[in-house]
Amino acid sequence: MKTINYINTFLLGIPIILFLLASLKIIDLTVFGLLSIILLGLFQIIISGYMLFNEPQNKYLQLYIIGVVFYFVTIYIDPFSSNDFKTYFGMGIPTILAFYISLLIYKKANK
């Protein structure tokens, strides 16, 4: 689990560093930052599925999976047509979910 924690931390750090460098006008690798976010999301969904398979009664993992399903269903259905809602919802919820599962992975690795 410690290895998964290290991989998760590395994948979480890549977009943060790339966006920081892009905002400081040092380098412009914003596209690679966006691609790394997709990679991070896939990694976290796969790992959370694996963790939930091993511990199906874990309420925190169930809450994460419910949050991921809710996010994708809401994006697919698109009940609100406001672009502001899409922007804040599209950026906010995945960020919260990424840090939430990162915290769960960290706690599991350091038990």
Side-chain angles (χ1 to χ4, degrees):
M1 200 61 170
K2 286 192 182 259
T3 305
I4 292 172
N5 185 32
Y6 293 141
I7 293 170
N8 184 58
T9 304
F10 176 74
L11 290 175
L12 191 62
I14 290 173
I16 293 171
I17 291 170
L18 290 177
F19 286 126
L20 179 66
L21 292 174
S23 68
L24 296 174
K25 308 283 188 214
I26 296 173
I27 56 173
D28 190 19
L29 296 175
T30 308
V31 173
F32 292 113
L34 294 173
L35 291 174
S36 66
I37 289 173
I38 295 170
L39 180 64
L40 170 68
L42 287 173
F43 174 77
Q44 288 184 338
I45 288 173
I46 291 169
I47 292 302
S48 65
Y50 171 75
M51 290 169 59
L52 188 63
F53 181 75
N54 287 337
E55 296 180 45
Q57 300 301 321
N58 190 332
K59 300 290 184 197
Y60 300 114
L61 289 172
Q62 291 174 356
L63 182 63
Y64 174 75
I65 296 295
I66 289 170
V68 170
V69 169
F70 172 74
Y71 172 73
F72 283 113
V73 166
T74 306
I75 291 298
Y76 179 73
I77 293 174
D78 191 23
F80 304 100
S81 61
S82 169
N83 286 335
D84 291 337
F85 176 78
K86 285 182 187 177
T87 301
Y88 294 125
F89 188 77
M91 290 172 30
I93 299 299
T95 305
I96 292 168
L97 289 171
F99 283 108
Y100 180 72
I101 194 67
S102 295
L103 181 65
L104 292 179
I105 291 170
Y106 176 78
K107 284 184 177 182
K108 189 77 143 164
N110 290 320
K111 264 190 173 179

